[in-house]
Amino acid sequence: MNIKLIVVGKTDISYVGQGIDDYVARLKHYTPFEIITIPTLKNAGTLSVEEVKEREGQLIMKQLEKADVIVLLDEHGKELSSVGFSEYLQKQMNAGIRTLAFVIGGAFGFSPTVYKAANGMISLSLMTFNHQMVRLFFIEQLYRAHTILRHEKYHNA
């Protein structure tokens, strides 16, 4: 199963980028993984919140294939423990899914089009995090899930 993470805007906090790079390198040992970065909208300050979400949504949808299983990382999504997330991943792998696409939206969330296309939503926490930090937290959890599935020490080390 391929996994892709679609994000809006680049990671410009250096220590977050270093952490992401570290976990991406570790993760590639377990599964094909890619991060797709959608550029920040030009002149976003002149647009309404709904216009920003709609335009970002169009760009997100262009990165998705019909067969992709789309999971939004959203504050209203289902909360899972690390073990629960690993079990979720195992179910997706067992289902024969070709590509599992996780999406982190922009500062204002997702457009109705993206919500409609989604197959599910996961929340990382009841707390609100900087979107760049969410990338790092999510990729670390993805790595952790794979180590749990392989019964490796990382989870409880």
Side-chain angles (χ1 to χ4, degrees), residues 110-137:
F110 300 104
S111 69
T113 304
V114 174
Y115 277 117
K116 186 176 179 182
N119 300 98
M121 297 190 304
I122 294 175
S123 172
L124 293 180
S125 173
L126 292 175
M127 295 180 178
T128 302
F129 299 115
N130 170 301
H131 284 239
Q132 293 184 47
M133 297 296 287
V134 168
R135 298 168 193 190
L136 176 57
F137 297 156

PDB file of all heavy atoms in Angstrom, residues 110-137:
ATOM      1  N   PHE A 110     -11.099  22.613   5.427  1.00  0.00           N
ATOM      2  CA  PHE A 110     -11.368  22.054   4.108  1.00  0.00           C
ATOM      3  C   PHE A 110     -12.629  22.633   3.479  1.00  0.00           C
ATOM      4  O   PHE A 110     -13.554  23.036   4.181  1.00  0.00           O
ATOM      5  CB  PHE A 110     -11.548  20.533   4.206  1.00  0.00           C
ATOM      6  CG  PHE A 110     -10.343  19.813   4.738  1.00  0.00           C
ATOM      7  CD1 PHE A 110     -10.311  19.346   6.036  1.00  0.00           C
ATOM      8  CD2 PHE A 110      -9.239  19.602   3.932  1.00  0.00           C
ATOM      9  CE1 PHE A 110      -9.209  18.675   6.529  1.00  0.00           C
ATOM     10  CE2 PHE A 110      -8.129  18.932   4.412  1.00  0.00           C
ATOM     11  CZ  PHE A 110      -8.106  18.469   5.721  1.00  0.00           C
ATOM     12  N   SER A 111     -12.673  22.597   2.168  1.00  0.00           N
ATOM     13  CA  SER A 111     -13.868  23.005   1.435  1.00  0.00           C
ATOM     14  C   SER A 111     -14.903  21.886   1.519  1.00  0.00           C
ATOM     15  O   SER A 111     -14.560  20.727   1.775  1.00  0.00           O
ATOM     16  CB  SER A 111     -13.524  23.274  -0.033  1.00  0.00           C
ATOM     17  OG  SER A 111     -13.195  22.058  -0.687  1.00  0.00           O
ATOM     18  N   PRO A 112     -16.163  22.204   1.274  1.00  0.00           N
ATOM     19  CA  PRO A 112     -17.192  21.156   1.245  1.00  0.00           C
ATOM     20  C   PRO A 112     -16.870  20.047   0.242  1.00  0.00           C
ATOM     21  O   PRO A 112     -17.166  18.876   0.494  1.00  0.00           O
ATOM     22  CB  PRO A 112     -18.459  21.921   0.851  1.00  0.00           C
ATOM     23  CG  PRO A 112     -18.227  23.320   1.331  1.00  0.00           C
ATOM     24  CD  PRO A 112     -16.746  23.548   1.135  1.00  0.00           C
ATOM     25  N   THR A 113     -16.245  20.378  -0.861  1.00  0.00           N
ATOM     26  CA  THR A 113     -15.882  19.390  -1.877  1.00  0.00           C
ATOM     27  C   THR A 113     -14.920  18.345  -1.313  1.00  0.00           C
ATOM     28  O   THR A 113     -15.063  17.149  -1.562  1.00  0.00           O
ATOM     29  CB  THR A 113     -15.243  20.079  -3.104  1.00  0.00           C
ATOM     30  OG1 THR A 113     -16.138  21.056  -3.601  1.00  0.00           O
ATOM     31  CG2 THR A 113     -14.889  19.093  -4.194  1.00  0.00           C
ATOM     32  N   VAL A 114     -13.945  18.796  -0.553  1.00  0.00           N
ATOM     33  CA  VAL A 114     -12.966  17.876   0.035  1.00  0.00           C
ATOM     34  C   VAL A 114     -13.640  17.017   1.101  1.00  0.00           C
ATOM     35  O   VAL A 114     -13.420  15.799   1.151  1.00  0.00           O
ATOM     36  CB  VAL A 114     -11.745  18.639   0.597  1.00  0.00           C
ATOM     37  CG1 VAL A 114     -10.794  17.702   1.328  1.00  0.00           C
ATOM     38  CG2 VAL A 114     -11.010  19.372  -0.522  1.00  0.00           C
ATOM     39  N   TYR A 115     -14.474  17.632   1.930  1.00  0.00           N
ATOM     40  CA  TYR A 115     -15.194  16.845   2.942  1.00  0.00           C
ATOM     41  C   TYR A 115     -16.045  15.763   2.273  1.00  0.00           C
ATOM     42  O   TYR A 115     -16.095  14.626   2.739  1.00  0.00           O
ATOM     43  CB  TYR A 115     -16.099  17.727   3.802  1.00  0.00           C
ATOM     44  CG  TYR A 115     -15.393  18.414   4.944  1.00  0.00           C
ATOM     45  CD1 TYR A 115     -15.312  19.802   5.008  1.00  0.00           C
ATOM     46  CD2 TYR A 115     -14.818  17.678   5.982  1.00  0.00           C
ATOM     47  CE1 TYR A 115     -14.680  20.438   6.073  1.00  0.00           C
ATOM     48  CE2 TYR A 115     -14.174  18.306   7.047  1.00  0.00           C
ATOM     49  CZ  TYR A 115     -14.117  19.683   7.086  1.00  0.00           C
ATOM     50  OH  TYR A 115     -13.478  20.300   8.133  1.00  0.00           O
ATOM     51  N   LYS A 116     -16.697  16.110   1.187  1.00  0.00           N
ATOM     52  CA  LYS A 116     -17.569  15.158   0.490  1.00  0.00           C
ATOM     53  C   LYS A 116     -16.766  13.995  -0.100  1.00  0.00           C
ATOM     54  O   LYS A 116     -17.229  12.855  -0.113  1.00  0.00           O
ATOM     55  CB  LYS A 116     -18.344  15.883  -0.609  1.00  0.00           C
ATOM     56  CG  LYS A 116     -19.376  15.016  -1.294  1.00  0.00           C
ATOM     57  CD  LYS A 116     -20.186  15.800  -2.302  1.00  0.00           C
ATOM     58  CE  LYS A 116     -21.193  14.883  -2.975  1.00  0.00           C
ATOM     59  NZ  LYS A 116     -21.969  15.573  -3.990  1.00  0.00           N
ATOM     60  N   ALA A 117     -15.563  14.270  -0.569  1.00  0.00           N
ATOM     61  CA  ALA A 117     -14.726  13.238  -1.192  1.00  0.00           C
ATOM     62  C   ALA A 117     -14.079  12.310  -0.163  1.00  0.00           C
ATOM     63  O   ALA A 117     -13.665  11.201  -0.506  1.00  0.00           O
ATOM     64  CB  ALA A 117     -13.638  13.896  -2.038  1.00  0.00           C
ATOM     65  N   ALA A 118     -14.003  12.758   1.080  1.00  0.00           N
ATOM     66  CA  ALA A 118     -13.280  12.001   2.111  1.00  0.00           C
ATOM     67  C   ALA A 118     -13.982  10.701   2.472  1.00  0.00           C
ATOM     68  O   ALA A 118     -15.203  10.617   2.509  1.00  0.00           O
ATOM     69  CB  ALA A 118     -13.111  12.861   3.358  1.00  0.00           C
ATOM     70  N   ASN A 119     -13.158   9.690   2.735  1.00  0.00           N
ATOM     71  CA  ASN A 119     -13.648   8.399   3.208  1.00  0.00           C
ATOM     72  C   ASN A 119     -13.643   8.316   4.726  1.00  0.00           C
ATOM     73  O   ASN A 119     -14.204   7.387   5.297  1.00  0.00           O
ATOM     74  CB  ASN A 119     -12.783   7.269   2.647  1.00  0.00           C
ATOM     75  CG  ASN A 119     -12.802   7.251   1.141  1.00  0.00           C
ATOM     76  OD1 ASN A 119     -11.884   7.769   0.518  1.00  0.00           O
ATOM     77  ND2 ASN A 119     -13.832   6.694   0.545  1.00  0.00           N
ATOM     78  N   GLY A 120     -12.987   9.279   5.372  1.00  0.00           N
ATOM     79  CA  GLY A 120     -12.933   9.295   6.827  1.00  0.00           C
ATOM     80  C   GLY A 120     -12.146  10.483   7.324  1.00  0.00           C
ATOM     81  O   GLY A 120     -11.517  11.207   6.545  1.00  0.00           O
ATOM     82  N   MET A 121     -12.224  10.685   8.644  1.00  0.00           N
ATOM     83  CA  MET A 121     -11.494  11.780   9.275  1.00  0.00           C
ATOM     84  C   MET A 121     -10.891  11.272  10.584  1.00  0.00           C
ATOM     85  O   MET A 121     -11.519  10.512  11.316  1.00  0.00           O
ATOM     86  CB  MET A 121     -12.413  12.962   9.576  1.00  0.00           C
ATOM     87  CG  MET A 121     -13.018  13.601   8.356  1.00  0.00           C
ATOM     88  SD  MET A 121     -13.886  15.171   8.696  1.00  0.00           S
ATOM     89  CE  MET A 121     -15.072  14.719   9.937  1.00  0.00           C
ATOM     90  N   ILE A 122      -9.676  11.717  10.848  1.00  0.00           N
ATOM     91  CA  ILE A 122      -8.982  11.386  12.080  1.00  0.00           C
ATOM     92  C   ILE A 122      -8.545  12.684  12.738  1.00  0.00           C
ATOM     93  O   ILE A 122      -8.061  13.594  12.070  1.00  0.00           O
ATOM     94  CB  ILE A 122      -7.747  10.495  11.805  1.00  0.00           C
ATOM     95  CG1 ILE A 122      -8.182   9.129  11.270  1.00  0.00           C
ATOM     96  CG2 ILE A 122      -6.893  10.337  13.054  1.00  0.00           C
ATOM     97  CD1 ILE A 122      -7.027   8.234  10.864  1.00  0.00           C
ATOM     98  N   SER A 123      -8.702  12.746  14.045  1.00  0.00           N
ATOM     99  CA  SER A 123      -8.212  13.874  14.831  1.00  0.00           C
ATOM    100  C   SER A 123      -6.980  13.422  15.596  1.00  0.00           C
ATOM    101  O   SER A 123      -6.982  12.345  16.199  1.00  0.00           O
ATOM    102  CB  SER A 123      -9.290  14.340  15.810  1.00  0.00           C
ATOM    103  OG  SER A 123      -8.760  15.318  16.692  1.00  0.00           O
ATOM    104  N   LEU A 124      -5.933  14.225  15.581  1.00  0.00           N
ATOM    105  CA  LEU A 124      -4.736  13.884  16.339  1.00  0.00           C
ATOM    106  C   LEU A 124      -4.868  14.257  17.808  1.00  0.00           C
ATOM    107  O   LEU A 124      -4.158  13.735  18.651  1.00  0.00           O
ATOM    108  CB  LEU A 124      -3.503  14.569  15.742  1.00  0.00           C
ATOM    109  CG  LEU A 124      -3.089  14.096  14.350  1.00  0.00           C
ATOM    110  CD1 LEU A 124      -1.855  14.844  13.884  1.00  0.00           C
ATOM    111  CD2 LEU A 124      -2.831  12.602  14.343  1.00  0.00           C
ATOM    112  N   SER A 125      -5.776  15.199  18.108  1.00  0.00           N
ATOM    113  CA  SER A 125      -5.921  15.657  19.489  1.00  0.00           C
ATOM    114  C   SER A 125      -7.102  16.612  19.575  1.00  0.00           C
ATOM    115  O   SER A 125      -7.524  17.187  18.571  1.00  0.00           O
ATOM    116  CB  SER A 125      -4.648  16.396  19.921  1.00  0.00           C
ATOM    117  OG  SER A 125      -4.799  16.986  21.189  1.00  0.00           O
ATOM    118  N   LEU A 126      -7.598  16.800  20.786  1.00  0.00           N
ATOM    119  CA  LEU A 126      -8.595  17.842  21.001  1.00  0.00           C
ATOM    120  C   LEU A 126      -7.942  19.224  20.987  1.00  0.00           C
ATOM    121  O   LEU A 126      -8.612  20.230  20.814  1.00  0.00           O
ATOM    122  CB  LEU A 126      -9.314  17.623  22.337  1.00  0.00           C
ATOM    123  CG  LEU A 126     -10.218  16.400  22.402  1.00  0.00           C
ATOM    124  CD1 LEU A 126     -10.767  16.222  23.815  1.00  0.00           C
ATOM    125  CD2 LEU A 126     -11.347  16.495  21.400  1.00  0.00           C
ATOM    126  N   MET A 127      -6.638  19.250  21.169  1.00  0.00           N
ATOM    127  CA  MET A 127      -5.902  20.514  21.142  1.00  0.00           C
ATOM    128  C   MET A 127      -5.715  20.975  19.702  1.00  0.00           C
ATOM    129  O   MET A 127      -5.767  20.175  18.779  1.00  0.00           O
ATOM    130  CB  MET A 127      -4.529  20.349  21.785  1.00  0.00           C
ATOM    131  CG  MET A 127      -4.568  20.039  23.236  1.00  0.00           C
ATOM    132  SD  MET A 127      -2.868  19.874  23.837  1.00  0.00           S
ATOM    133  CE  MET A 127      -3.183  19.568  25.546  1.00  0.00           C
ATOM    134  N   THR A 128      -5.470  22.253  19.537  1.00  0.00           N
ATOM    135  CA  THR A 128      -5.181  22.820  18.222  1.00  0.00           C
ATOM    136  C   THR A 128      -3.671  22.975  18.096  1.00  0.00           C
ATOM    137  O   THR A 128      -3.024  23.489  19.004  1.00  0.00           O
ATOM    138  CB  THR A 128      -5.862  24.199  18.060  1.00  0.00           C
ATOM    139  OG1 THR A 128      -7.262  24.030  18.247  1.00  0.00           O
ATOM    140  CG2 THR A 128      -5.584  24.791  16.688  1.00  0.00           C
ATOM    141  N   PHE A 129      -3.132  22.513  16.966  1.00  0.00           N
ATOM    142  CA  PHE A 129      -1.696  22.616  16.717  1.00  0.00           C
ATOM    143  C   PHE A 129      -1.438  23.423  15.458  1.00  0.00           C
ATOM    144  O   PHE A 129      -2.260  23.453  14.539  1.00  0.00           O
ATOM    145  CB  PHE A 129      -1.074  21.223  16.520  1.00  0.00           C
ATOM    146  CG  PHE A 129      -1.200  20.317  17.701  1.00  0.00           C
ATOM    147  CD1 PHE A 129      -1.963  19.162  17.629  1.00  0.00           C
ATOM    148  CD2 PHE A 129      -0.555  20.603  18.890  1.00  0.00           C
ATOM    149  CE1 PHE A 129      -2.070  18.310  18.709  1.00  0.00           C
ATOM    150  CE2 PHE A 129      -0.657  19.754  19.983  1.00  0.00           C
ATOM    151  CZ  PHE A 129      -1.418  18.611  19.893  1.00  0.00           C
ATOM    152  N   ASN A 130      -0.267  24.012  15.394  1.00  0.00           N
ATOM    153  CA  ASN A 130       0.234  24.648  14.186  1.00  0.00           C
ATOM    154  C   ASN A 130       0.240  23.592  13.081  1.00  0.00           C
ATOM    155  O   ASN A 130       0.638  22.445  13.310  1.00  0.00           O
ATOM    156  CB  ASN A 130       1.649  25.160  14.506  1.00  0.00           C
ATOM    157  CG  ASN A 130       2.413  25.643  13.333  1.00  0.00           C
ATOM    158  OD1 ASN A 130       2.646  24.899  12.383  1.00  0.00           O
ATOM    159  ND2 ASN A 130       2.832  26.886  13.393  1.00  0.00           N
ATOM    160  N   HIS A 131      -0.195  23.959  11.888  1.00  0.00           N
ATOM    161  CA  HIS A 131      -0.295  22.994  10.785  1.00  0.00           C
ATOM    162  C   HIS A 131       1.041  22.349  10.437  1.00  0.00           C
ATOM    163  O   HIS A 131       1.078  21.206   9.994  1.00  0.00           O
ATOM    164  CB  HIS A 131      -0.910  23.660   9.552  1.00  0.00           C
ATOM    165  CG  HIS A 131      -2.383  23.835   9.690  1.00  0.00           C
ATOM    166  ND1 HIS A 131      -3.274  23.279   8.823  1.00  0.00           N
ATOM    167  CD2 HIS A 131      -3.136  24.468  10.624  1.00  0.00           C
ATOM    168  CE1 HIS A 131      -4.497  23.575   9.198  1.00  0.00           C
ATOM    169  NE2 HIS A 131      -4.435  24.299  10.285  1.00  0.00           N
ATOM    170  N   GLN A 132       2.120  23.068  10.640  1.00  0.00           N
ATOM    171  CA  GLN A 132       3.428  22.477  10.364  1.00  0.00           C
ATOM    172  C   GLN A 132       3.775  21.419  11.415  1.00  0.00           C
ATOM    173  O   GLN A 132       4.343  20.376  11.093  1.00  0.00           O
ATOM    174  CB  GLN A 132       4.498  23.565  10.310  1.00  0.00           C
ATOM    175  CG  GLN A 132       4.298  24.491   9.120  1.00  0.00           C
ATOM    176  CD  GLN A 132       5.387  25.517   9.002  1.00  0.00           C
ATOM    177  OE1 GLN A 132       6.555  25.173   9.097  1.00  0.00           O
ATOM    178  NE2 GLN A 132       5.015  26.761   8.781  1.00  0.00           N
ATOM    179  N   MET A 133       3.415  21.677  12.662  1.00  0.00           N
ATOM    180  CA  MET A 133       3.665  20.701  13.726  1.00  0.00           C
ATOM    181  C   MET A 133       2.821  19.444  13.502  1.00  0.00           C
ATOM    182  O   MET A 133       3.287  18.331  13.762  1.00  0.00           O
ATOM    183  CB  MET A 133       3.354  21.302  15.095  1.00  0.00           C
ATOM    184  CG  MET A 133       4.230  22.479  15.478  1.00  0.00           C
ATOM    185  SD  MET A 133       5.969  22.037  15.659  1.00  0.00           S
ATOM    186  CE  MET A 133       5.906  21.131  17.180  1.00  0.00           C
ATOM    187  N   VAL A 134       1.601  19.613  13.012  1.00  0.00           N
ATOM    188  CA  VAL A 134       0.725  18.464  12.741  1.00  0.00           C
ATOM    189  C   VAL A 134       1.406  17.510  11.771  1.00  0.00           C
ATOM    190  O   VAL A 134       1.318  16.289  11.924  1.00  0.00           O
ATOM    191  CB  VAL A 134      -0.650  18.926  12.211  1.00  0.00           C
ATOM    192  CG1 VAL A 134      -1.451  17.760  11.650  1.00  0.00           C
ATOM    193  CG2 VAL A 134      -1.430  19.630  13.311  1.00  0.00           C
ATOM    194  N   ARG A 135       2.094  18.041  10.795  1.00  0.00           N
ATOM    195  CA  ARG A 135       2.809  17.202   9.824  1.00  0.00           C
ATOM    196  C   ARG A 135       3.795  16.286  10.537  1.00  0.00           C
ATOM    197  O   ARG A 135       3.834  15.079  10.294  1.00  0.00           O
ATOM    198  CB  ARG A 135       3.556  18.069   8.812  1.00  0.00           C
ATOM    199  CG  ARG A 135       2.644  18.936   7.996  1.00  0.00           C
ATOM    200  CD  ARG A 135       3.406  19.985   7.230  1.00  0.00           C
ATOM    201  NE  ARG A 135       2.441  20.954   6.732  1.00  0.00           N
ATOM    202  CZ  ARG A 135       2.727  21.900   5.877  1.00  0.00           C
ATOM    203  NH1 ARG A 135       3.949  22.029   5.407  1.00  0.00           N
ATOM    204  NH2 ARG A 135       1.783  22.725   5.469  1.00  0.00           N
ATOM    205  N   LEU A 136       4.591  16.885  11.413  1.00  0.00           N
ATOM    206  CA  LEU A 136       5.589  16.109  12.150  1.00  0.00           C
ATOM    207  C   LEU A 136       4.914  15.094  13.063  1.00  0.00           C
ATOM    208  O   LEU A 136       5.295  13.918  13.081  1.00  0.00           O
ATOM    209  CB  LEU A 136       6.487  17.043  12.961  1.00  0.00           C
ATOM    210  CG  LEU A 136       7.528  16.376  13.862  1.00  0.00           C
ATOM    211  CD1 LEU A 136       8.447  15.460  13.066  1.00  0.00           C
ATOM    212  CD2 LEU A 136       8.331  17.440  14.604  1.00  0.00           C
ATOM    213  N   PHE A 137       3.907  15.510  13.814  1.00  0.00           N
ATOM    214  CA  PHE A 137       3.212  14.593  14.723  1.00  0.00           C
ATOM    215  C   PHE A 137       2.599  13.431  13.949  1.00  0.00           C
ATOM    216  O   PHE A 137       2.694  12.280  14.365  1.00  0.00           O
ATOM    217  CB  PHE A 137       2.105  15.311  15.502  1.00  0.00           C
ATOM    218  CG  PHE A 137       2.587  16.404  16.420  1.00  0.00           C
ATOM    219  CD1 PHE A 137       1.737  17.422  16.779  1.00  0.00           C
ATOM    220  CD2 PHE A 137       3.870  16.421  16.934  1.00  0.00           C
ATOM    221  CE1 PHE A 137       2.149  18.434  17.628  1.00  0.00           C
ATOM    222  CE2 PHE A 137       4.305  17.434  17.783  1.00  0.00           C
ATOM    223  CZ  PHE A 137       3.440  18.446  18.130  1.00  0.00           C
TER     224      PHE A 137
END
